[in-house]
Amino acid sequence: NFVVLSLVNQSQCQTVCFEGDEDSCLYNLLSPGSCVILTSTVTATWAKMASETFQQKGIHFVDCPVSGGPARSRQGDLTCMASGDRTSLEMAK
C-alpha cells in the first residue's frame, strides 16, 4: 500500500500522519510494509521524526518535496527531490 500526501504545510502533515484516534491518522490506519510518500514542504527535523516514527511500526517513509510552482506544473516541468532509507526509496520507484 502506498499513500502520497501533498498537503499545504507541516501542521497539516502532523495532523494527518500522527494525530487523532485509530480511525483518523495514517500511523494508526496503515499496516507494516506500507509506504508514505510526502510531497509537502516540511522541515528536515520533522521529516526525520516522521521517518523514525513510521519505522517503529514498519511503515516506510519517503520525503519527496516538489518544486516548480503552478507555471512549471502546467508545462509538466516539476522537480521532485526524494530522500529516505534505501528500502523506502526502492519501494517508491
Side-chain angles (χ1 to χ4, degrees), residues 13-89:
C13 294
Q14 177 68 27
T15 299
V16 169
C17 289
F18 303 113
E19 295 178 2
D21 59 32
E22 63 186 51
D23 294 329
S24 65
C25 74
L26 289 179
Y27 184 81
N28 292 331
L29 293 171
L30 294 176
S31 302
S34 299
C35 185
V36 175
I37 302 170
L38 180 68
T39 66
S40 306
T41 300
V42 297
T43 64
T45 301
W46 191 91
K48 182 176 181 183
M49 178 279 304
S51 178
E52 291 170 351
T53 302
F54 279 123
Q55 284 179 356
Q56 291 173 6
K57 191 175 173 184
I59 298 169
H60 301 279
F61 180 80
V62 175
D63 183 28
C64 189
V66 177
S67 176
R72 286 184 48 203
S73 177
R74 284 189 289 277
Q75 297 170 359
D77 188 29
L78 295 174
T79 301
C80 298
M81 299 149 282
S83 66
D85 64 66
R86 187 174 304 239
T87 303
S88 297
L89 290 170

